[in-house]
Amino acid sequence: MAEVLSFEHVSIAYQHRTGRQNILNDVSFTIGEGQALGLVGESGCGKSTVALAAMRYLPRGMLITEGRIQVEGRDTAPLSDAELSKIRGNRIAMVYQDPMSSLNPVMPIGEQLTEVPLLHGETDEKAAFDRAVRMLEEVRLPDAAAMMDRYPHQLSGGQQQRVVIAMALMAEPALLIMDEPTTGLDVTIEAAILALVRDLRAKFGTAILFISHNLGTVARVCDRIGVLYAGRMVETGQISTVFRAPSHPYTRGLLGALPRLKGGRHRGRLRPIEGTITAADRMRVGCAFAPRCSFAVRHECEERPIAMIDMGAGHLARCARLEAVRASAAQDGVAEETTGSANAAAVVLSVRSLSKEYKISSLFGGKKGVVRAVTEVDFDARAGETLAIVGESGCGKSTVARIISGLLDGTSGEVRLGDVDLAKVQVDERPREVRRQVQMVFQNPDSTLNPSHSIGYALMRPLRMLRALATGDAKAEVAKLLAQVRLPAEMAARMPHQLSGGQRQRVAIARALAGNPGLVVADEPVSALDVSVQAAILNLLGELLEQSQLGLVLISHDLALVRHMADHVAVMYLGRVVEYGPVDQVFQPPYHPYTEALLKAAPTPDPDAAPPGAVLDGVMPSPSEIIVGCAFASRCPSRIAGLCDTTPPPIRRFGEHRIACHLDLGGEVQVPVAPGALTGMRSSIS
């Protein structure tokens, strides 16, 4: 099999006024035709630098100090800018995490696609147009010809990513580099994109460098894996070999930090890797991972260079203590057993028949309509427990979170916190005591922290505003809050940019806890974090739940995370709750067909797991459409013709577990009360 990309003992350094700093150190790997190599590791390990080096697109000041990079057997180092331009986009193409970074918002999709072959030698515009349409069909976009006239903002996130993949494949490149291509996508869209990548790889024989921190997606797409740490390749081999028998302590740490679809918070804590990557780690003579490794012995691991050791069948690891590591049993994500309360927890928040509607009208006198973002939603959040709300983008879960936190008001229904109906009062109008009781943790901690103020200031402000503490008392409380989220007291003097992403998220959690709230709403709080940092944050949230008895409403599309953290789960689709119940019951049959599709689509770090069969077809209907029957009927693989699309589904009860579905799943059946054409389905779950 011909080699498409080859790194031969490549070292890259950043040249600055005071000297050089190592970025990559002795990195070697190859990718052949039709092969896919998954490159994994924490932020700062050098994954994106490898991608940029393969494209010969390194930032100014960064240079290759040793080794050689070859594309299709050709050394790229001596190539001129003109020669590189012929290779980029033609023989090598790249797909980035954010599709909008590759799409021009003021150009139709068709113009952007046809631009690729026209830049690389195609002279016939009609042939370029026809080729673009065929490529949109290859990436399974409906009505490809009509899609050519649309602008990027008229496409969903999954459709935008498919267009970017089509654009990358227009010139049939030999190498496709994908840098976190599914991060932020819903599990169903992610499953469709990963299936698409597998099919295109098989059809075109394209070599793929797949960069991700999600080991589940790597297991689903790639046949080989490379693990980077502090700029060094520490382990590489076949996916099946490395996942079953990880030999480097860092690889074991990454796999052990993952939440799984089997198990939960009360069954054990995750195993985060203690510490972080530092600049000094890149300069170490011996093992860069030694300061964080429980197997490290100074005279063996830190005093001399460590070479890759070949264990056979293409499995290599860079470890001086390899025999000791392999002799020990690899550990899963459970660090220690924990116990949950056997008593029924007190209800902190009660949501009943909550709906949110927006009236819309055309600027040009068109027909008026109503967008139903949330429809008749009921659930409870309890003290010391986690209620998880899951579903695809646009299902209404973030709208519910914003109503609870006071960023929006509800159109109808109740959100009861004690005697106060939060649905009727936005945050600016809430009394201080109510604002203190409900706090929010956002996906991006930078949206919470002012870059111009210190961490201490960020924590003192809510202490003064919500608890009216004097300056001296507030300073003492800041130290307690930092200790509560496992940060040293000296962090109070630092600015947000001086902290890592995980540290900033811990500060955001501390800020939410500053008012001693009874309820915390966390909207995708760890989706942008590395698996090890994510494990530490999830452990922290679990400890806070047990210690303070606050209630947690968790918004997430990561079902493994939800399985680990949640006590109860509400599954939302098109603004409606279609399934609700204790997490153990929701994650096992009987399922709502939508819940079953989400579980099948969820990636898992299991090399033996078969790819999901058919992912969901179509897209979620517009919330402005009038739904007469089941909201999921248009995409349901088990739809009963003439029933599901015309009649609201009954609620099937299995104790606390409730499913809104026409399928004969058993249980006690409750017919919706006065359903009406506009509400479609009443999810009377309490």
Side-chain angles (χ1 to χ4, degrees), residues 16-142:
H16 48 81
R17 287 177 296 176
T18 59
R20 287 184 178 180
Q21 180 180 351
N22 291 344
I23 305 298
L24 293 183
N25 193 336
D26 190 26
V27 172
S28 297
F29 64 85
T30 61
I31 309 176
E33 292 179 358
Q35 291 184 336
L37 173 73
L39 203 58
V40 303
E42 295 170 286
S43 297
C45 71
K47 303 188 299 293
S48 294
T49 301
V50 169
L52 293 174
M55 297 280 290
R56 272 292 309 279
Y57 202 65
L58 291 171
R60 181 176 299 177
M62 201 175 287
L63 65 157
I64 299 173
T65 57
E66 293 181 16
R68 183 170 63 170
I69 301 173
Q70 295 187 89
V71 175
E72 296 187 295
R74 190 179 184 186
D75 189 351
T76 60
L79 298 183
S80 65
D81 289 343
E83 290 172 316
L84 287 172
S85 295
K86 293 179 180 178
I87 292 177
R88 296 181 189 136
N90 189 13
R91 304 310 298 156
I92 308 175
M94 191 162 180
V95 176
Y96 295 91
Q97 176 177 342
D98 179 12
M100 285 304 293
S101 65
S102 302
L103 297 174
N104 190 326
V106 299
M107 286 177 62
I109 294 301
E111 285 187 31
Q112 299 186 56
L113 286 169
T114 56
E115 194 175 46
V116 177
L118 292 174
L119 282 173
H120 289 285
E122 178 66 64
T123 57
D124 186 338
E125 292 189 6
K126 184 179 185 307
F129 181 90
D130 292 341
R131 180 171 178 75
V133 172
R134 288 197 303 272
M135 194 54 66
L136 288 179
E137 292 172 346
E138 289 284 358
V139 297
R140 301 174 194 156
L141 280 170

Side-chain angles (χ1 to χ4, degrees), residues 1-2 4-5 29-40 174-178 194 196-202 205-211 217-226 236-240 243:
M1 184 178 295
V4 176
L5 177 66
F29 64 85
T30 61
I31 309 176
E33 292 179 358
Q35 291 184 336
L37 173 73
L39 203 58
V40 303
L175 174 66
L176 180 62
I177 301 172
M178 310 188 79
L194 296 180
L196 171 64
V197 171
R198 286 196 309 272
D199 292 347
L200 293 175
R201 169 189 161 197
T206 307
I208 296 176
L209 177 61
F210 190 91
I211 297 172
T217 61
V218 170
R220 186 168 286 181
V221 168
C222 303
D223 42 24
R224 292 170 56 236
I225 186 172
T236 184
Q238 294 292 320
I239 287 281
S240 56
F243 275 55

Side-chain angles (χ1 to χ4, degrees), residues 392 573 591-597 614-621 630-641 644-645 649 660-663 665:
E392 295 172 290
Y573 185 82
Y591 306 115
H592 188 280
Y594 181 58
T595 307
E596 184 175 14
V615 293
L616 285 176
D617 291 326
V619 296
M620 191 181 297
C630 174
F632 187 57
S634 63
R635 300 172 70 194
C636 182
S638 304
R639 177 178 64 251
I640 303 172
C644 293
D645 51 357
C661 189
H662 283 291
L663 297 177
L665 305 173

Side-chain angles (χ1 to χ4, degrees), residues 410-427:
T411 303
S412 62
E414 296 182 342
V415 180
R416 286 281 172 187
L417 181 76
D419 296 330
V420 180
D421 184 3
L422 302 180
K424 303 293 191 296
V425 187
Q426 293 196 25
V427 66

Side-chain angles (χ1 to χ4, degrees), residues 236-257:
T236 184
Q238 294 292 320
I239 287 281
S240 56
T241 303
V242 174
F243 275 55
R244 291 193 187 98
S247 296
H248 194 281
Y250 181 59
T251 310
R252 290 190 173 198
L254 292 178
L255 289 167

Side-chain angles (χ1 to χ4, degrees), residues 158-234:
Q159 289 174 330
Q160 289 171 359
Q161 194 65 289
R162 289 177 189 230
V163 169
V164 171
I165 293 173
M167 188 182 300
L169 293 171
M170 280 291 290
E172 295 187 10
L175 174 66
L176 180 62
I177 301 172
M178 310 188 79
D179 193 352
E180 302 279 7
T182 60
T183 300
L185 297 180
D186 299 321
V187 290
T188 52
I189 298 174
E190 178 182 61
I193 294 294
L194 296 180
L196 171 64
V197 171
R198 286 196 309 272
D199 292 347
L200 293 175
R201 169 189 161 197
K203 181 169 184 176
F204 294 101
T206 307
I208 296 176
L209 177 61
F210 190 91
I211 297 172
S212 181
H213 67 265
N214 188 328
L215 296 177
T217 61
V218 170
R220 186 168 286 181
V221 168
C222 303
D223 42 24
R224 292 170 56 236
I225 186 172
V227 183
L228 271 178
Y229 183 80
R232 305 181 193 191
M233 191 76 79
V234 296

